[in-house]
Amino acid sequence: MNEQLSILELMLNATLVVQVVMAILLLGSFISWIMIFQRFFTLSSIKREAVEFENEFWSGKDLRQLYTELEATEGDRIGMEHIFSAGFKEFSRLRKQDGADAEHVMQNVQRAMRVAVSKEEERLETSLSFLATVGSTSPYIGLFGTVWGIMNSFRSLATVEQASLSIVAPGISEALIATAMGLFAAIPAVMAYNRFSAQVEIIMNRFESFTDELSGILHRAIHA
Amino acid sequence: MNFTAPNILACLLAAAVHGLVVFLLLTNWHNTEPDTVKIDKIYALPARVIHENPIKAEKKRQLEKNQQAAIRRQAQKAKLQADNLARINREQIKAEALKKMKAAEAAQKALAEQQLDRSSSVDDVDKAQLAKQQALKNQQRKEWEDALGLEIEAEQIGIVAITDDEKAKAFVAQIQRKIIQNWSRPPSARNGMQALLRVFLVPTGEVVNVTILESSSNDAFDQSAMLAVRKARLFIVPAKARQFDRNFRQFEVLFRPDDLRL
């Protein structure tokens, strides 16, 4: 014990259990921050692309032309483009077959779009469950480390003849670091989870209303 | 997870967040360095190390004693002579005065009696006044002494001061006194040596640790200084947590052979 107990030193001198707990929490925190940034980028890009696509869709362009343009572009179609292309592909394929029942066509188109929407939802919600897990369990993990550390420091106190504060203080301080780390991991994770799930909800609503609008348009086209 | 640009960026940002937190923790951004207390008045124990040869010193003392005795003897002789002279003179004067007095006695007797009466009454008044003055003086002195005693007592428990700064000084003085009391300077201590110690306290005033910041390059001296603090064991410190944290959680003590200052 020299001038000041540095936190790093405390962590390095901690008991194995507490160190493992700290390592788990550090890892959890690190991964959850990666997820937070990744989700942030993904969600904002999906939102932006949805707005752009809706603008294009409602600009009065021919839907067939829009579809061929989308097919021509490289890479994965995500978000609204995916839903649109899935629905329109089904529609144009069924229209080519003669004698297809209009009702049957519409059902198939809607089914295709529903599948696309649920795939998009899956894409939006990846790693949100991880954030929720980190947010809810890491305080408990930290608490476990703290309880363990305090337990040990009191046990070491029992064997000492002259009990003094300086014997238990480092142990308790070291143990409390675990709780601090747990909270450090949990707080951003919970906040990010709440924010992202709200955003996902908004985006999903948008997708669903787009699906309805598209099927309405296709329905009109089929009965025209 | 595939390694696309946003994913890598997310990893880097997460690493940056954790790096920032670790950096802040390591650089002690919440500044735990103790503030130093400035003390104008120093309670110093004026003790000096004297190098003396015991035999020589004994001789010197004897010599001084002899000299003083000689001076005293001479003075006695002179006094005796002067006394003798004075006695002879006085006897002559007395004889003359006796004649004169006898002549004057009869004439002055009546007058003298009157004067005697008056002077005795004056004496009484003087005496009464003197007694009064004495009593007043005594009282004043007593009051003064009481005040001083109270002040010293108050200083010891650190309640006489009004401002925080003064309070801190009172506590510092008390700590210094306690350390001085427990310090026994080693024989190898020399003037000019100094050891700077850092003392760590807990809020109850108990010493939890002592470290040497600057050694005096004399082990015995360093050890004696550390022992002084350890033996003091318990200091009276401010009850207010903030004040304690600022000045007394850690403080530095400078040990010098001739005095001790905080």
Side-chain angles (χ1 to χ4, degrees), chain A:
Chain A
M1 189 165 116
N2 45 32
E3 281 194 27
Q4 187 81 38
L5 278 171
S6 84
I7 290 178
L8 192 72
E9 217 173 299
L10 276 178
M11 282 162 78
L12 291 178
N13 294 331
T15 41
L16 187 70
V17 177
V18 179
Q19 270 181 339
V20 168
V21 165
M22 284 176 182
I24 291 172
L25 289 174
L26 198 64
L27 194 71
S29 166
F30 192 74
I31 294 175
S32 74
W33 272 99
I34 292 178
M35 303 274 174
I36 288 169
F37 284 117
Q38 195 201 14
R39 275 305 86 190
F40 178 75
F41 295 139
T42 319
L43 288 182
S44 56
S45 78
I46 285 178
K47 221 171 169 183
R48 201 180 46 241
E49 273 167 30
V51 170
E52 276 172 15
F53 182 78
E54 267 190 327
N55 285 342
E56 216 177 341
F57 183 79
W58 294 114
S59 66
K61 219 175 187 176
D62 183 28
L63 289 189
R64 199 170 299 275
Q65 192 191 341
L66 195 63
Y67 175 69
T68 45
E69 268 174 26
L70 272 182
E71 288 292 289
T73 53
E74 291 284 312
D76 277 353
R77 282 175 296 279
I78 53 164
M80 243 173 225
E81 294 173 3
H82 181 211
I83 298 167
F84 170 75
S85 65
F88 200 82
K89 190 192 251 170
E90 192 68 22
F91 176 75
S92 51
R93 191 189 291 155
L94 289 175
R95 275 298 289 274
K96 273 176 199 156
Q97 297 174 354
D98 287 330
D101 177 22
E103 216 42 48
H104 174 69
V105 171
M106 276 322 292
Q107 264 179 13
N108 267 15
V109 167
Q110 269 168 356
R111 202 172 295 128
M113 284 201 290
R114 215 181 306 134
V115 169
V117 166
S118 67
K119 265 185 189 159
E120 283 308 307
E121 184 172 18
E122 203 176 298
R123 197 206 299 277
L124 286 173
E125 282 179 349
T126 41
S127 73
L128 272 193
S129 66
F130 181 81
L131 283 182
T133 309
V134 168
S136 56
T137 56
S138 62
Y140 295 121
I141 298 173
L143 204 60
F144 168 71
T146 296
V147 168
W148 189 270
I150 290 180
M151 208 170 81
N152 272 347
S153 63
F154 274 116
R155 230 178 31 178
S156 70
L157 186 68
T159 57
V160 184
E161 196 82 351
Q162 222 180 9
S164 95
L165 198 63
S166 53
I167 295 169
V168 274
I172 293 175
S173 175
E174 156 209 309
L176 286 175
I177 291 176
T179 306
M181 286 178 73
L183 293 178
F184 174 76
I187 294 168
V190 170
M191 284 168 79
Y193 175 76
N194 285 339
R195 182 174 156 68
F196 291 148
S197 55
Q199 272 187 348
V200 166
E201 189 102 329
I202 291 169
I203 294 172
M204 285 311 295
N205 280 342
R206 211 174 200 156
F207 283 177
E208 261 148 34
S209 57
F210 174 76
T211 310
D212 286 346
E213 279 162 356
L214 185 61
S215 61
I217 288 170
L218 294 178
H219 200 264
R220 247 179 286 141
I222 224 169
H223 288 287

Side-chain angles (χ1 to χ4, degrees), chain B residues 89-103:
Chain B
N89 277 348
R90 230 181 294 143
E91 269 163 15
Q92 281 178 355
I93 293 164
K94 230 182 188 171
E96 277 173 32
L98 214 69
K99 278 180 202 162
K100 270 185 197 169
M101 250 161 67
K102 266 179 186 165

Side-chain angles (χ1 to χ4, degrees), chain B residues 49-66:
Chain B
V49 181
I50 299 164
H51 314 281
E52 66 170 18
N53 187 331
I55 301 165
K56 257 187 192 170
E58 187 57 38
K59 263 186 189 165
K60 203 176 161 189
R61 264 201 290 280
Q62 200 69 45
L63 209 74
E64 270 175 15
K65 223 175 177 179
N66 287 345

Side-chain angles (χ1 to χ4, degrees), chain B residues 74-227:
Chain B
Q74 268 183 0
Q76 253 171 10
K77 228 187 229 165
K79 205 180 163 195
L80 220 73
Q81 279 178 352
D83 275 3
N84 279 342
L85 226 97
R87 205 170 46 224
I88 295 164
N89 277 348
R90 230 181 294 143
E91 269 163 15
Q92 281 178 355
I93 293 164
K94 230 182 188 171
E96 277 173 32
L98 214 69
K99 278 180 202 162
K100 270 185 197 169
M101 250 161 67
K102 266 179 186 165
E105 211 168 84
Q108 279 182 348
K109 211 169 187 178
L111 204 78
E113 262 174 359
Q114 274 179 6
Q115 270 181 348
L116 206 75
D117 273 1
R118 208 184 301 154
S119 76
S120 75
S121 70
V122 166
D123 260 19
D124 276 355
V125 172
D126 273 0
K127 253 181 205 160
Q129 245 171 16
L130 214 72
K132 225 188 224 167
Q133 273 180 358
Q134 194 72 32
L136 208 73
K137 222 186 248 169
N138 275 345
Q139 204 187 337
Q140 273 178 350
R141 207 167 76 190
K142 210 179 156 201
E143 270 173 13
W144 186 68
E145 268 172 3
D146 275 355
L148 203 73
L150 265 179
E151 206 168 74
I152 289 166
E153 210 173 58
E155 227 170 47
Q156 272 164 356
I157 50 173
I159 54 166
V160 72
I162 297 116
T163 66
D164 276 5
D165 221 32
E166 278 172 336
K167 270 182 198 163
K169 273 175 212 163
F171 283 113
V172 166
Q174 171 265 130
I175 289 171
Q176 276 176 332
R177 268 200 297 275
K178 196 142 187 204
I179 293 177
I180 293 168
Q181 275 169 17
N182 286 299
W183 189 25
S184 52
R185 295 157 186 74
S188 58
R190 297 282 176 276
N191 273 332
M193 273 185 184
Q194 58 178 50
L196 188 63
L197 262 62
R198 178 167 281 174
V199 182
F200 297 81
L201 299 185
V202 285
T204 54
E206 234 172 309
V207 176
V208 286
N209 197 23
V210 189
T211 56
I212 298 175
L213 288 187
E214 275 173 37
S215 169
S216 62
S217 74
N218 179 332
D219 263 356
F221 187 72
D222 292 351
Q223 288 306 319
S224 81
M226 280 177 76
L227 197 67

